[in-house]
């Protein structure tokens, strides 16, 4: 059984920094990890991600401000968020799935954490 657990959310002032963690357990295949976020009244969007080979991806709005990394020994993905803006406030979710040998990381993810709230105040 795959388990996904996020931590690290909380309140932060605009311009500040916050770090999120996502620990995944339960499988040994090549995997893909993604951070999604959803704000009230908005669609869920992918923020950043990394796969077991260390390839990273970012949505345009967070490039240069957010950094995703992976500690393979701990099966933990981190999201370092700097220069936070009011519009970054959302529930952040970690998602995991197996990487396809041919097609790579999926669009839809099967395993999800419970989410961690990020609140940005001005």
């Amino acid at each position: 059984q795959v388990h996904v657990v996020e931590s690290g959310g909380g309140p932060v002032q605009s311009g500040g920094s916050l770090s999120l963690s996502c620990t995944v357990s339960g499988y040994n295949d090549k995997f893909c990890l993604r951070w999604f976020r959803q704000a009230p009244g908005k669609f869920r969007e992918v923020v950043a991600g990394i796969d077991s080979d260390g390839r990273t991806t970012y949505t345009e709005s967070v490039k240069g401000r957010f950094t995703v990394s992976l500690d393979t020994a701990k099966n933990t993905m981190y999201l370092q968020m700097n220069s936070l803006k009011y519009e970054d406030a959302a529930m952040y979710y970690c998602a995991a799935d197996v990487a396809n040998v041919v097609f790579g990381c999926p669009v839809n993810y099967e395993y999800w954490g419970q989410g961690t709230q990020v609140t940005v105040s001005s």
Side-chain angles (χ1 to χ4, degrees), residues 70-114:
L70 178 67
D71 184 335
T72 54
K74 296 180 179 180
N75 285 342
T76 298
M77 171 177 65
Y78 302 94
L79 184 66
Q80 178 63 42
M81 304 184 292
N82 298 327
S83 302
L84 280 160
K85 303 177 181 179
Y86 180 76
E87 52 264 39
D88 293 319
M91 184 70 82
Y92 281 70
Y93 298 92
C94 178
D97 212 327
V98 176
N100 184 280
V101 174
V102 176
F103 299 109
C105 289
V107 174
N108 297 308
Y109 283 71
E110 184 170 357
Y111 303 103
W112 292 81
Q114 77 286 355

Side-chain angles (χ1 to χ4, degrees), residues 23-103:
T23 300
V24 182
S25 60
Y27 63 84
N28 296 313
D29 297 314
K30 283 188 176 292
F31 56 85
C32 300
L33 301 176
R34 293 291 183 265
W35 287 104
F36 289 81
R37 67 185 180 188
Q38 187 168 19
K42 294 188 177 181
F43 291 107
R44 184 176 62 197
E45 64 171 342
V46 62
V47 177
I50 192 167
D51 64 22
S52 50
D53 291 325
R55 288 182 288 251
T56 60
T57 182
Y58 298 91
T59 194
E60 194 64 35
S61 64
V62 307
K63 285 181 179 178
R65 299 189 298 122
F66 291 11
T67 302
V68 65
S69 60
L70 178 67
D71 184 335
T72 54
K74 296 180 179 180
N75 285 342
T76 298
M77 171 177 65
Y78 302 94
L79 184 66
Q80 178 63 42
M81 304 184 292
N82 298 327
S83 302
L84 280 160
K85 303 177 181 179
Y86 180 76
E87 52 264 39
D88 293 319
M91 184 70 82
Y92 281 70
Y93 298 92
C94 178
D97 212 327
V98 176
N100 184 280
V101 174
V102 176
F103 299 109

